[in-house]
């Protein structure tokens, strides 16, 4: 690897949610030293790590927080379960390939917490940087960690003898690698006849801004965020990356044939068994049914992956094209109101729409989309075709 990766300080400026409700990644703070030390001062944890001595005290934690954890070359997050500090996940790029490491307070083991947390961090690192490969590894006697890495798509790359500071004797470590290509193949993907939709990457930001900045009235719902300037597009991508799929989801819409970006679509958690759909389309791609095609597939993905009972949406009365998309998907008008689509803008009148799950499925004669959720465990088996999961 030529240059060391430096992680943007803004990546963890806000909490990063994960697939498990209540489990989030948060930037570490000096005040976390005592909790960090309490969690790591457990031989059952430390004996599975290379660099952690046993016993481990608050001073060790403070040195770690002030040193490696604060380096721009380490993406290091505290792992929070509800309101409790519960461990750490980190990608260390201070030397060689970026290396994933993690540990969890013992009381929380066996609930899928580290699987969700490491997935969120790996997604953030690959999506926000140009990293080509993340390496990791587990001691041969650490079956839980082996399972975590396998589920993320890591592949074995050999066995080496190494030392753990908490163990007296040498220990064998199974080295594991995750290439960007394998990571990308496992991301949530929605495919239709003409479209391939994937979550945005930071590398998409300039393209998103250029497409959205067309000056005309975009085919957009009132809930679509403003992404017209490059910095707004980067903030939008970052926000999308920090949200927890499948409760919230954001996809770039690209034409299957040319790969050209044509718009965006997604949903967000609206509470009480409900999600809200939003979408927009670049000016040159309107009027040929692409938004309807995207919306039907996204609705199917939203119903399948979130289990929501209803999807809501709203559009401005001056936007009949967007209203048409909603109506063709089976949405029904549920009232008029106002909303404030942008923090900077004023409130605008909107028409509100709702779509019940049962109505959606009884109308769904347009054929199944191919939807891959990135994990075999989230989505119930349904009418969707899913490419095989990684082992
Ligand atoms: C390894 C560790 C991070 C796992 O955290 P966790 O939140 O319990 O992990 P998850 O629940 O997300 O996943 C654990 C997986 O291992 C499996 N597993 C757990 N114990 C196992 C065992 N003894 N044999 C086989 N599989 C096991 C679980 O079934 C689960 O897989 P599944 O989801 O396919 O069922 C945690 O045990 C820990 O902090 N250990 C000490 C530090 C450490 O080992 N860090 C990693 C160093 S490489």
């Amino acid at each position: 690897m030529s240059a060391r990766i430096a992680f943007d300080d803004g990546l963890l400026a806000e909490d990063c949610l994960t697939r498990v409700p209540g489990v989030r990644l948060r930037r570490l703070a000096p005040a976390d030293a005592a909790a960090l030390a309490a969690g790591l001062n457990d031989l059952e944890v430390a004996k599975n790590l290379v660099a952690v001595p046993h016993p481990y005290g608050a001073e060790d934690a403070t040195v770690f927080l002030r040193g490696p954890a604060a380096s721009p070359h380490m993406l290091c997050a505290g792992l929070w379960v509800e309101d409790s500090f519960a461990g750490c996940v980190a990608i260390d790029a201070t030397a060689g390939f970026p290396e994933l490491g993690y540990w969890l307070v013992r009381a929380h083991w066996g609930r899928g917490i580290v699987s969700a947390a490491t997935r969120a961090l790996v997604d953030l690192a690959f999506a926000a940087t140009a990293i080509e490969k993340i390496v990791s590894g587990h001691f041969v006697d650490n079956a839980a960690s082996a399972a975590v890495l396998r589920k993320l798509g890591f592949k074995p790359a050999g066995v080496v003898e190494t030392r753990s500071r908490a163990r007296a004797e040498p220990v064998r470590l199974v080295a594991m690698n995750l290439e960007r290509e394998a990571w990308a193949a496992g991301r949530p993907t929605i495919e239709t006849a003409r479209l391939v939709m994937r979550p945005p990457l930071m590398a998409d930001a300039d393209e998103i801004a250029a497409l959205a900045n067309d000056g005309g009235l975009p085919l957009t719902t009132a809930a679509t965020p403003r992404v017209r300037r490059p910095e707004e597009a980067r903030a939008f991508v970052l926000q999308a990356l920090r949200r927890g799929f499948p409760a919230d989801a954001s996809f770039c819409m690209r034409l299957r044939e040319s790969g050209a970006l044509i718009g965006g679509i997604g949903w967000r958690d609206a509470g009480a068994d409900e999600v809200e759909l939003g979408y927009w389309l670049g000016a040159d791609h309107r009027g040929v049914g692409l938004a309807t095609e995207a919306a039907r597939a996204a609705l199917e993905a939203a119903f399948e992956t979130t289990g929501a009972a209803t999807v809501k949406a709203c559009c401005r009365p001056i936007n009949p094209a967007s209203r048409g998309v909603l109506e063709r998907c089976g949405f029904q008008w549920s009232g008029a109101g106002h909303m404030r689509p942008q923090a900077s803008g004023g409130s605008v009148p909107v028409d509100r729409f709702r779509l019940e799950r049962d109505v959606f499925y009884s109308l769904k004669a347009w054929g199944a989309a191919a939807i891959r959720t990135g994990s075999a465990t989230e989505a119930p088996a349904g009418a969707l075709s899913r490419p095989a999961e990684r082992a």
Side-chain angles (χ1 to χ4, degrees):
M1 192 147 172
S2 45
R4 277 194 304 171
I5 290 282
F7 297 101
D8 187 323
D9 192 41
L11 290 185
L12 289 169
E14 289 169 29
D15 287 3
C16 176
L17 306 185
T18 73
R19 293 169 181 236
V20 174
V23 175
R24 55 182 63 213
L25 312 185
R26 182 173 296 169
R27 183 187 273 161
L28 285 164
D32 297 327
L36 191 93
L40 274 182
N41 191 31
D42 174 349
L43 188 57
E44 288 306 306
V45 172
K47 75 174 192 189
N48 290 299
L49 303 169
V50 170
V52 174
H54 185 75
Y56 188 94
E59 226 170 85
D60 297 306
T62 301
V63 168
F64 172 72
L65 290 173
R66 290 209 182 120
S71 159
H73 303 292
M74 191 190 275
L75 182 62
C76 186
L79 207 173
W80 289 74
V81 178
E82 302 299 349
D83 291 329
S84 308
F85 177 89
C88 275
V89 287
I91 294 177
D92 180 359
T94 48
F97 282 108
E99 182 172 356
L100 173 69
Y102 44 88
W103 64 270
L104 180 69
V105 168
R106 207 180 338 162
H108 293 293
W109 288 8
R111 291 162 46 200
I113 291 171
V114 165
S115 296
T118 50
R119 180 178 285 271
L121 194 76
V122 164
D123 283 353
L124 191 61
F126 270 127
T129 73
I131 285 176
E132 270 309 315
K133 176 163 85 169
I134 294 178
V135 302
S136 190
H138 63 86
F139 294 156
V140 285
D141 56 0
N142 191 352
S145 187
V148 167
L149 292 173
R150 211 171 42 241
K151 285 193 290 177
L152 287 171
F154 277 81
K155 299 277 185 263
V159 179
V160 291
E161 192 166 284
T162 184
R163 299 200 78 87
S164 159
R165 287 183 71 186
R167 298 193 193 207
E169 72 283 6
V171 55
R172 286 191 304 146
L173 175 134
V174 181
M176 307 277 280
N177 293 339
L178 179 61
E179 305 282 346
R180 172 176 281 275
E181 206 176 316
W183 166 76
R187 300 183 86 202
T189 306
I190 307 175
E191 295 186 50
T192 67
R194 290 178 290 174
L195 297 169
V196 178
M197 294 173 264
R198 293 202 178 90
L201 302 172
M202 197 51 86
D204 296 320
D206 289 353
E207 220 180 336
I208 292 172
L211 185 72
N213 191 16
D214 62 22
L217 173 70
L219 176 47
T220 177
T221 61
T224 312
R226 184 186 172 88
V227 289
R228 293 181 186 178
R229 291 194 316 224
E231 59 273 24
E232 289 168 339
R234 280 193 285 278
F236 164 76
V237 171
L238 206 47
Q239 250 178 8
L241 297 177
R242 291 199 207 103
R243 289 202 205 110
F245 180 86
D248 291 286
S250 179
F251 297 88
C252 283
M253 265 185 234
R254 289 186 183 274
L255 290 177
R256 177 187 288 281
E257 256 180 34
S258 62
L261 182 78
I262 63 156
I265 193 159
W267 63 80
R268 57 172 59 224
D269 188 358
D273 276 352
E274 195 168 59
V275 295
E276 176 162 11
L277 182 75
Y279 50 81
W280 64 278
L281 209 58
D284 294 344
H285 306 282
R286 298 173 200 153
V288 290
L290 286 166
T292 302
E293 186 172 320
R296 286 171 171 170
L299 285 165
E300 190 171 354
F303 278 123
E304 288 276 323
T305 59
T306 66
T310 52
V311 177
K312 67 178 186 178
C314 56
C315 70
R316 299 172 71 168
I318 50 167
N319 192 352
S322 188
R323 183 187 184 114
V325 170
L326 295 176
E327 287 174 347
R328 280 191 293 281
C329 291
F331 278 89
Q332 302 216 314
W333 187 80
S334 63
H338 282 81
M339 75 171 298
R340 201 175 284 274
Q342 303 296 332
S344 53
S347 92
V348 296
V350 291
D351 282 315
R352 299 189 189 284
F353 294 81
R354 285 167 73 86
L355 175 60
E356 311 286 335
R357 164 185 284 271
D358 295 349
V359 173
F360 175 78
Y361 281 105
S362 62
L363 287 174
K364 196 180 80 70
W366 48 74
I371 296 167
R372 189 174 56 231
T373 63
S375 166
T377 51
E378 278 106 24
L384 308 177
S385 75
R386 287 193 189 79
E389 292 289 333
R390 293 172 312 207

